[in-house]
Amino acid sequence: MTSRPPQQPDREIKSLRDEIRRHERLYYVLDRPEITDAEFDALMRRLRELEAAFPQYASDDSPTRRVGGERSNTFAPVPHRVPMLSLDNCYSEEEFMDWHARVVKGLGGEKFELAVEAKIDGLSCSIEYAGGRLARASTRGDGETGEDVTLNVRTIGAVPLSLPAGAPGDFEARGEVYMDKRDFESLVKEALEAGEEPFVNPRNAAAGSLRQKDPAVTARRRLKFFAHSYGHLAAGAEPASHWEYLERCRELGFPVSSVRKLCGGAVEVVDFYRDHAEKRFSLPYEIDGLVVKVNSLRQQKLLGFTAKSPRWAIAFKYPAQQAVTRVLGVEFSVGRTGAVTPVAQLEPVKCGGVTISSATLHNFDEIARLGLKIGDRVVIERAGEVIPKVVRADASARDGSERDIVPPKKCPSCGSELFKDEEEVALRCVNPSCPAQLRRSLLHFASRDAMRIEGLGESSVDQLLARGLLKSFPDIYRLKKEDLLGLELFKDKKAGNLLAEIARSKEQPLSRLIYALGIRHIGEKSGRTLAEHFRTMKAFMDAGPEELAKVPDVGPVVAEAVSEFFKSAATRSMIGELESLGLRMDEPERASSGNKLDGRTFVFTGELKGMTRSEAQARVRGLGGKETSSVSAKTSYVVAGADPGSKLDKARKLGVTVLTEEEFLKLLAGE
DNA sequence: CCGCCTCGAGTTCT
DNA sequence: CTCGAGGCGG
């Protein structure tokens, strides 16, 4: 390329920058480019040349600085001046109307407008300007503190590096960083051609691209940005409404979604929602719902916040993405208790951002209800949850080649005959030495809530089983270093770690051991109740049904299951072996550090920041409180961490007190 | 006997 | 997380 000698380099640089900015805005913000990509690139090249030749005119907010040459090794934490909260979700018109009714009530019947925007599937980001220049950009993180991704955000064309004259000097825009469907598709293609694992959905691609160490990589990913929320507002600069704020963002050069509407009432919102149920698929980016906000900031303040989200906004999501696929076959998995469960093998299909290849069918009643045959075309969905579900079979798509799903007569693992208890749905394999059951039992025994043997997971157990080194629980405690070193996947250190873990697990209290044995109907909770009642394994083993039934929460069915379990001489001698191998066989007196929480019950939902859930549960128990798994009117507190699930909704419905993690800690500390 | 409160068991994918 | 079912109070 030829460089003509500039007459007045400073003036040419300035006009080039202005022109490039104008085209960036046309392309990214207005979606109305006036020049081709090649022409745009030529302008960029010329500007780069000039800046290189006349470094005295370099400037931080030049469009050439979008692709940073610098690298950042870590993402520094950035505390958010105003927390970045997540939104509450609703999945149906009915739930939306419930939210609307709460707003009406909260505003005491006052009239209000609703601002509706597309909810883009990307990741939220805060962008702060100081003195009119982009000063810092950060991810949402846990809502309180995010990660500094300034260098990467600078590469996003749609994000202005500086604000136009007359803009407030200090400004924070919050919005969504996302990737267009088309850019995502080509990224996937490139990755496949390069033999790399592609991102599974545009959201992950955007998140992965933003967290690149090298901003040059981020720059190539063509990320985009929509402003959608305010963060910190400079005093005196508050807009009167959300709609006004969006207009201001546009004036400052930020793109905002064109899928939006200012609605006068709930009916208009629902119409807009229905209208976009189909239309959304033809948008250039993925949306999973709408965000509905009370428009007036004054009314927003009036409504305030709940433990985790604003009361004045809600994400009105489209129902579980459904997908259509075919049933390739049905496999039968054998559980720890011998229960045989049919699992549909599906032709892999994308649904809600992940690829689904199998789905449980639960039992044969379910198969009958669905009228399902192998080869059927089926509709699957991942509702508000994660677990895929077959919704219905499409009988009209049959061509006659479909086959019935026949309940197996024999166990798919050991070939022994299967039985069906009267009045029970499940088929069971009753062979006590069935390999599939043994495998699941061993995994259960070692699992985190039972004997907690880290390193004895699926792959180790499979290898040890294949070598014939594990045939029973006591065998775990007979493993020697030589046994492990014979296996491919065990290096010296790893073998030592596993043996240390195994030795450590011998000290687990009786309650965990009882649970680990996998007696039917005995879970974690009953294990503890029984251990606390009987104190020693001997007393527990020798208890008759009537003695067992005296234990709270133990009725005839559970009592029968326990005596049945210990009736077998083999079981009793297995327990004897465990004892002689040095396992603890009693329950230590619980060190109760008080009973401040006596009689109060807790339910946890979402992820805690400062501790794991089992630590939190242990602390509640230590103070005399109880932890349960489901919310009811009797629940004293629901502790909501990050990303809480349906239990939070239930708590609200029942009027149960909801605590944040901070409030929970204060309660533990006795405040 | 009914209905509420719990617990247990099984499951998917990253 | 959800479903099914056991335990128990009314």
Side-chain angles (χ1 to χ4, degrees):
Chain A
M1 78 198 87
T2 57
S3 326
R4 46 187 195 280
Q7 298 302 314
Q8 290 167 300
D10 54 337
R11 293 187 68 175
E12 195 187 343
I13 286 175
K14 187 178 178 310
S15 79
L16 267 173
R17 283 180 186 160
D18 287 346
E19 198 179 355
I20 289 170
R21 280 192 199 113
R22 192 173 76 87
H23 287 302
E24 280 181 329
R25 189 175 132 77
L26 282 168
Y27 180 82
Y28 287 111
V29 181
L30 303 173
D31 202 19
R32 214 171 48 215
E34 288 177 3
I35 57 173
T36 65
D37 288 1
E39 286 166 332
F40 180 84
D41 287 345
L43 290 175
M44 232 13 191
R45 260 199 316 273
R46 175 70 185 156
L47 177 59
R48 252 189 225 114
E49 276 171 40
L50 288 175
E51 283 182 347
F54 302 95
Q56 65 269 37
Y57 298 124
S59 166
D60 240 15
D61 66 344
S62 168
T64 56
R65 294 295 181 94
R66 288 196 187 283
V67 183
E70 309 138 80
R71 283 162 174 262
S72 77
N73 284 318
T74 50
F75 299 97
V78 177
H80 298 300
R81 270 198 280 191
V82 179
M84 289 181 84
L85 297 172
S86 53
L87 294 185
D88 202 2
N89 293 317
C90 65
Y91 291 90
S92 66
E93 293 178 9
E94 197 190 343
E95 286 177 274
F96 171 72
M97 293 311 292
D98 289 346
W99 172 81
H100 184 260
R102 290 199 294 274
V103 172
V104 170
K105 204 170 150 209
L107 291 175
E110 225 179 84
K111 282 194 90 119
F112 59 94
E113 291 177 317
L114 293 167
V116 183
E117 291 162 80
K119 184 178 189 309
I120 294 155
D121 215 6
L123 70 156
S124 351
C125 191
S126 151
I127 308 179
E128 295 168 272
Y129 291 80
R133 298 281 177 92
L134 194 164
R136 194 163 61 169
S138 51
T139 61
R140 192 176 91 89
D142 61 12
E144 304 276 338
T145 309
E147 286 177 322
D148 189 329
V149 287
T150 312
L151 292 178
N152 290 336
V153 167
R154 290 180 71 94
T155 70
I156 302 176
V159 173
L161 297 177
S162 59
L163 300 180
D170 291 312
F171 186 77
E172 180 185 359
R174 288 181 178 177
E176 207 77 358
V177 170
Y178 68 98
M179 188 179 282
D180 271 351
K181 290 186 215 165
R182 267 181 56 191
D183 290 327
F184 170 69
E185 297 302 337
S186 47
L187 183 64
V188 168
K189 220 175 113 198
E190 278 172 38
L192 289 174
E193 278 163 11
E196 290 160 16
E197 174 106 352
F199 286 110
V200 293
N201 56 39
R203 207 208 89 83
N204 289 6
S209 304
L210 199 61
R211 299 190 77 264
Q212 284 293 325
K213 298 271 193 257
D214 180 359
V217 176
T218 311
R220 285 198 292 273
R221 298 284 171 82
R222 297 175 154 271
L223 294 176
K224 298 202 172 146
F225 179 79
F226 275 138
H228 63 46
S229 308
Y230 56 84
H232 170 77
L233 291 168
E238 292 106 338
S241 69
H242 181 65
W243 205 251
E244 191 184 313
Y245 174 77
L246 291 179
E247 283 305 321
R248 185 180 297 174
C249 284
R250 253 161 78 90
E251 284 161 21
L252 295 178
F254 295 97
V256 300
S257 171
S258 56
V259 180
R260 64 196 164 103
K261 188 175 185 199
L262 187 56
C263 296
V267 177
E268 247 180 278
V269 176
V270 171
D271 282 345
F272 191 74
Y273 175 81
R274 289 185 190 163
D275 191 34
H276 280 81
E278 286 301 322
K279 275 192 192 160
R280 67 193 168 119
F281 295 114
S282 46
L283 290 169
Y285 41 82
E286 276 194 6
I287 74 172
D288 56 355
L290 303 173
V291 174
V292 185
K293 290 175 179 168
V294 170
N295 192 37
S296 149
L297 258 71
R298 181 186 62 79
Q299 291 177 324
Q300 289 184 1
K301 281 186 188 138
L302 219 53
L303 289 162
F305 298 84
T306 66
K308 67 137 198 171
S309 53
R311 284 201 186 84
W312 43 266
I314 194 156
F316 190 176
K317 297 221 181 154
Y318 287 105
Q321 258 203 36
Q322 296 190 328
V324 176
T325 185
R326 233 163 45 84
V327 177
L328 301 176
V330 172
E331 288 189 355
F332 299 94
S333 87
V334 184
R336 162 169 71 81
T337 59
V340 175
T341 323
V343 179
Q345 304 302 310
L346 305 170
E347 196 165 278
V349 65
K350 282 244 180 120
C351 181
V354 299
T355 307
I356 308 290
S357 55
S358 62
T360 175
L361 296 169
H362 296 111
N363 53 54
F364 285 90
D365 286 6
E366 173 82 357
I367 292 174
R369 197 182 59 75
L370 291 165
L372 190 67
K373 293 184 177 210
I374 293 168
D376 265 350
R377 196 164 82 173
V378 290
V379 177
I380 59 156
E381 74 176 12
R382 304 195 324 144
E385 336 110 49
V386 195
I387 301 184
K389 186 180 152 185
V390 175
V391 184
R392 63 172 177 276
D394 184 358
S396 69
R398 288 187 183 149
D399 63 9
S401 68
E402 293 76 16
R403 286 171 294 135
D404 283 331
I405 299 166
V406 190
K409 293 255 182 312
K410 307 238 164 107
C411 171
S413 171
C414 66
S416 62
E417 201 185 340
L418 295 178
F419 293 93
K420 190 170 137 134
D421 275 8
E422 264 178 74
E423 299 294 315
E424 224 194 20
V425 244
L427 275 175
R428 290 209 124 77
C429 166
V430 293
N431 172 10
S433 49
C434 168
Q437 283 182 63
L438 174 64
R439 177 175 179 274
R440 296 283 181 103
S441 307
L442 288 166
L443 288 170
H444 170 75
F445 188 90
S447 70
R448 247 189 27 221
D449 297 325
M451 299 304 272
R452 194 170 212 148
I453 306 175
E454 248 166 80
L456 198 58
E458 291 208 19
S459 74
S460 320
V461 167
D462 285 342
Q463 289 182 67
L464 292 165
L465 281 171
R467 288 292 183 107
L469 290 168
L470 283 185
K471 292 199 159 58
S472 66
F473 298 144
D475 283 349
I476 297 174
Y477 296 93
R478 294 192 192 102
L479 288 173
K480 303 219 167 35
K481 196 151 189 176
E482 308 87 85
D483 299 336
L484 300 181
L485 290 174
L487 302 171
E488 303 264 318
L489 276 175
F490 282 93
K491 293 257 152 52
D492 192 49
K493 183 152 177 235
K494 215 174 139 192
N497 287 348
L498 178 55
L499 290 176
E501 276 292 322
I502 291 173
R504 226 158 53 111
S505 77
K506 292 184 185 175
E507 277 309 303
Q508 293 290 4
L510 178 65
S511 49
R512 278 175 179 261
L513 180 57
I514 291 177
Y515 172 53
L517 292 174
I519 307 165
R520 270 191 79 192
H521 300 116
I522 304 300
E524 220 187 327
K525 211 92 173 187
S526 328
R528 205 172 305 124
T529 322
L530 290 165
E532 268 158 21
H533 185 266
F534 291 105
R535 314 305 314 183
T536 66
M537 181 62 94
K538 187 169 186 327
F540 175 47
M541 268 198 323
D542 295 339
E546 42 322 317
E547 170 115 42
L548 285 162
K550 275 191 230 147
V551 181
D553 300 327
V554 174
V557 177
V558 175
E560 173 60 26
V562 173
S563 8
E564 186 65 27
F565 181 81
F566 286 119
K567 218 182 259 171
S568 139
T571 305
R572 299 180 77 94
S573 85
M574 184 267 289
I575 304 275
E577 286 175 53
L578 288 176
E579 185 164 21
S580 54
L581 285 161
L583 271 77
R584 163 167 222 151
M585 294 276 154
D586 64 359
E587 187 70 4
E589 206 68 48
R590 190 180 61 197
S592 133
S593 44
N595 42 5
K596 277 186 297 195
L597 303 181
D598 216 12
R600 287 191 252 185
T601 57
F602 290 74
V603 173
F604 292 88
T605 179
E607 205 180 332
L608 300 174
K609 280 184 298 199
M611 59 180 98
T612 65
R613 197 179 285 197
S614 44
E615 277 164 7
Q617 290 163 4
R619 293 192 61 178
V620 166
R621 276 204 304 277
L623 289 169
K626 279 202 306 182
E627 189 264 343
T628 65
S629 56
S630 52
V631 183
S632 73
K634 284 179 150 185
T635 309
S636 318
Y637 305 99
V638 168
V639 181
D643 234 341
S646 61
K647 289 185 240 177
L648 182 63
D649 302 333
K650 189 150 181 210
R652 292 226 190 96
K653 219 163 263 172
L654 295 170
V656 174
T657 313
V658 177
L659 300 179
T660 60
E661 183 170 353
E662 288 73 29
E663 289 165 337
F664 170 63
L665 288 174
K666 280 185 191 165
L667 185 73
L668 291 182
E671 285 173 40

